[in-house]
Amino acid sequence: MLKKVLKKSLAFIVTGTLLMSTLVGCGAKSDTPSTDSGSDAKNEAKSDKPVDLVWWTIGNEPKDYQLVSEKINEYTLEKLNVNLQIKYASWGEYSTKLSKIVQSGEPFDIAFTSGIENYQDLLNKGYFADLTELLPTATPDLYKFIPEELWTGVTIDGKILGVPAYKDSAQAQYWVWDKETVEKFGIDYENIESLEQLEPALQKMKEADPSKYPLILNANEGINGFFPAINQYDEIVVKPAVGISYTDESATVVGLWEQERVLENLKLINSWFKKGYINPDAATLLELPKSRPVSSVQSFEGGWKDTEVGHKYFGPAYSTRTIQGSFLSISAGCKNPEAALKVIELVNTDEYFRNLLAFGIEGTHYEKTGENTIKKLNDKYEVPAYSQGTFFNMYVQEPNPSTQWDDLQDLQETAFSSPVLGFTFNSTSVQNQISACANIEAKYSSSLITGSANPEELLPQMIKELNAAGYQDIIAEAQKQVDEFLANK
């Protein structure tokens, strides 16, 4: 049985060679991907010199990259007459390294754009190819497969500048609990929807063991999803925090630090810090422990360890930012953008190729345990699959349920959208104000979001400094751009 997503989205678009590749990936008798011997055009194309493409992606190069690369190129040569070189830059260096590569003019073809420093400015400045006209003609299967909302999220000034990964693209936020903790304290975790409802569980855990801290936070994020999920704002500018309420159809841009609901939530978190629910070093802690009693996580059903349980308290919600959390772009200097786009199409519509990229070689790196379930055999091929393309033609890793990706797609289909979905802020005219305000915010935010300082004392001081540095200029410019964006929709 093909996965539900293939039934829903691919059954009517995958024909010819793509159908053959899908059958191979789903367990057809042949172990070798088939060719379409009836296509004269394809045979002629195969006699041409292969197209060489470079794809930059995030993460450390897998131990068995060369082995998997041989299989990848066997397939891309057969299907597309393409030699594909995947280049990796480590988690710590990708952001700045790729920004330099893009701006230097160093040749490349495809890049994981979401991980590039200031990628929105690079998109605005024309460093990446406009795919608007090419997508429906060169890769119609890809164009039909990805929902309209996602294309909207990567459209800037009327130009589609990337290919979004169709996965948990709409943000859903969960309270994720250690299963043993839930059982020990009888926590009714499925009915905890807000910060206020979380407090009785924290109190119960603290009273049972005063030496421990039930809510472990760090300086970088405090409670994950604080502005979008807990306060329900679409952050159209992240640093400094500026946004629009998900429920505000008038699309009024506000400074998030100035909002009453934000202050009330910061006061509650501060009260927890005073009661000892939060670790004392939260404002300076950078690395979180691998296991925590409870945490807020952007995820999906089964997107946590088997020793944990979770419950959704927000979303799913589409915003430009959530969609741009994972997308690929093609260099404006790419000599064969059609070939590059066809590689991306293959990732998203061909089950065999998708799982080869995500998991490596069957029998070497994983084994099938069911029709669409696998068990990893080793760590010789570890890659961030979310940066490559869709989840909806991927195998499911045990012990997750075989319906994991079907369930996720069903969840995504219930998503609501930000009133400014598709809006991308152009910071050029207020770049100095943004830099100054971001530095001010950095001085105060860790203490505020971890509850380490009293927000009624610290927040007014931060807002005073932000306004002196141009916070209101940023808000006004964002409102101007939002109004223009909505007028042109």
Side-chain angles (χ1 to χ4, degrees), residues 118-127 156-157 236-237 239 423-436 473-474 477-478 480-481:
N118 297 323
Y119 73 82
Q120 290 184 335
D121 286 340
L122 300 179
L123 291 168
N124 282 317
K125 291 175 180 176
Y127 284 103
I156 298 176
D157 292 333
I236 60 174
V237 183
K239 293 180 181 179
F423 172 75
T424 299
F425 182 60
N426 186 334
S427 63
T428 304
S429 64
V430 286
Q431 192 58 61
N432 291 337
Q433 293 94 320
I434 283 180
S435 297
D473 295 342
I474 299 167
E477 177 60 26
K480 175 187 171 186
Q481 291 185 26

Side-chain angles (χ1 to χ4, degrees), residues 368-381:
K368 294 285 292 291
T369 58
E371 190 171 353
N372 73 319
T373 56
I374 63 166
K375 177 183 178 182
K376 293 293 293 290
L377 298 175
N378 50 59
D379 64 355
K380 293 182 179 179
Y381 185 77

Side-chain angles (χ1 to χ4, degrees), residues 223-420:
I223 297 176
N224 180 272
F226 179 71
F227 282 125
I230 290 171
N231 292 285
Q232 300 189 13
Y233 283 99
D234 176 4
E235 295 175 273
I236 60 174
V237 183
V238 177
K239 293 180 181 179
V242 172
I244 294 170
S245 170
Y246 272 108
T247 59
D248 181 9
E249 292 303 320
S250 71
T252 301
V253 179
V254 296
L256 301 189
W257 295 111
E258 299 176 303
Q259 301 312 300
E260 184 65 29
R261 77 171 91 164
V262 171
L263 173 60
E264 291 304 313
N265 283 325
L266 290 173
K267 285 164 61 177
L268 181 59
I269 296 168
N270 176 240
S271 74
W272 292 353
F273 186 87
K274 292 174 180 176
K275 293 173 183 176
Y277 300 164
I278 298 170
N279 49 305
D281 63 346
T284 56
L285 183 68
L286 297 179
E287 199 162 324
L288 289 164
K290 292 182 179 179
S291 178
R292 291 182 282 169
V294 61
S295 58
S296 175
V297 177
Q298 182 181 344
S299 190
F300 45 84
E301 292 296 332
W304 42 78
K305 294 180 285 188
D306 58 357
T307 57
E308 298 172 324
V309 291
H311 175 67
K312 179 172 69 69
Y313 72 88
F314 170 78
Y318 277 124
S319 71
T320 304
R321 188 164 174 246
T322 65
I323 293 167
Q324 290 183 3
S326 180
F327 73 108
L328 302 171
S329 292
I330 294 172
S331 170
C334 175
K335 294 180 179 178
N336 198 325
E338 182 170 336
L341 199 54
K342 284 181 179 294
V343 168
I344 299 174
E345 179 179 57
L346 202 65
V347 176
N348 286 277
T349 60
D350 185 298
E351 189 172 281
Y352 170 81
F353 189 60
R354 181 70 188 99
N355 286 288
L356 177 62
L357 277 178
F359 301 119
I361 301 167
E362 183 178 358
T364 302
H365 303 110
Y366 70 90
E367 63 181 17
K368 294 285 292 291
T369 58
E371 190 171 353
N372 73 319
T373 56
I374 63 166
K375 177 183 178 182
K376 293 293 293 290
L377 298 175
N378 50 59
D379 64 355
K380 293 182 179 179
Y381 185 77
E382 296 286 337
V383 296
Y386 79 89
S387 67
Q388 300 170 333
T390 186
F391 284 174
F392 300 135
N393 57 359
M394 276 172 51
Y395 297 139
V396 175
Q397 288 192 68
E398 290 191 339
N400 293 321
S402 62
T403 60
Q404 182 180 31
W405 302 136
D406 293 347
D407 295 341
L408 175 57
Q409 189 179 28
D410 287 344
L411 178 66
Q412 294 294 290
E413 289 172 356
T414 69
F416 59 89
S417 296
S418 162
V420 289

Side-chain angles (χ1 to χ4, degrees), residues 12 19 29 49 53 144 173 189 240 271 275 326 334 365 464:
F12 70 100
L19 179 57
K29 291 182 180 179
K49 182 180 177 182
L53 297 177
K144 293 173 185 174
Q173 201 78 13
Y189 72 94
S271 74
K275 293 173 183 176
S326 180
C334 175
H365 303 110
K464 181 180 178 181

